[in-house]
Amino acid sequence: MILFWAVFIALGVLLFRALARPDDSPTIPGTPPRGPGRSTAEQLLAERFARGEIDEDEYCHRLDVLHGAGDSGPRLSKS
């Protein structure tokens, strides 16, 4: 009887947590949540810049590449 109530309460808690989770929360522990209008790649780039792993020039260059504005570098095309 105690085992029945323990399983019943555990299922209730899991159901409550699943329904109470906000839509923008990460589903995998340790992954950053996605902000509105920003991709994960942009978030990672901003975090690296904030930690000092890359400088401002490299941040701006990589951000331009992400947005497709980077005209430098090799382009792959079908021949």
Side-chain angles (χ1 to χ4, degrees):
M1 187 66 156
I2 293 173
L3 182 61
F4 169 77
W5 285 109
V7 170
F8 185 73
I9 291 171
L11 287 175
V13 169
L14 289 174
L15 181 63
F16 175 76
R17 289 182 66 191
L19 294 176
R21 180 182 300 143
D23 290 339
D24 62 344
S25 68
T27 56
I28 301 172
T31 59
R34 293 184 181 184
R38 292 187 65 189
S39 68
T40 304
E42 289 178 359
Q43 286 178 340
L44 292 174
L45 187 60
E47 289 172 7
R48 288 188 65 198
F49 178 62
R51 285 191 300 261
E53 294 177 9
I54 58 176
D55 61 358
E56 185 178 0
D57 292 334
E58 187 172 354
Y59 172 76
C60 291
H61 173 72
R62 290 181 183 217
L63 194 60
D64 287 343
V65 169
L66 283 175
H67 291 158
D71 293 331
S72 63
R75 296 281 182 213
L76 299 176
S77 63
K78 290 184 176 181
S79 335

